[in-house]
Amino acid sequence: MLPIDDADAALYTIGQVAKMLDARVTFLRRLDEQGVVVPARSAGGQRRYSRREISLVAEAMKLIDEGLTLAGVRRVLALKAHIRGLEAELAARDAVVERGRLPADQQRPG
């Protein structure tokens, strides 16, 4: 897989992200400083955003437009991430259960 195909590959500079989202660089820095969206850093210390982080910034912008504070945005994004983790865990458990089930004609009488 190429890095461009990886949603978590840190490929975009803060300037590129600001231009993509029509946001100010200072706003992106503040999201980082407040722990809302914390991008990776290059060897030289520059912020590098992944596509996933860019989506989080866009979501943060919408939440702020709806009246949430940065602390509120941070909490909402953390809760959503937690829910995604729980959903993935549940899907994995469901897959294990499904693999353990035999078709009715192959089940042993109980």
Side-chain angles (χ1 to χ4, degrees), residues 90-108:
L90 184 58
R93 288 182 185 185
D94 287 348
V96 168
V97 168
E98 282 299 315
R99 281 194 305 264
R101 290 188 182 155
L102 293 174
D105 63 338
Q106 295 179 5
Q107 290 183 3
R108 296 183 190 151

Side-chain angles (χ1 to χ4, degrees), residues 14-25 27-28 57 61:
I14 195 169
Q16 290 170 319
V17 175
K19 194 173 212 179
M20 277 185 241
L21 300 177
D22 194 26
R24 294 177 182 242
V25 169
F27 171 73
L28 298 174
V57 170
M61 291 171 71

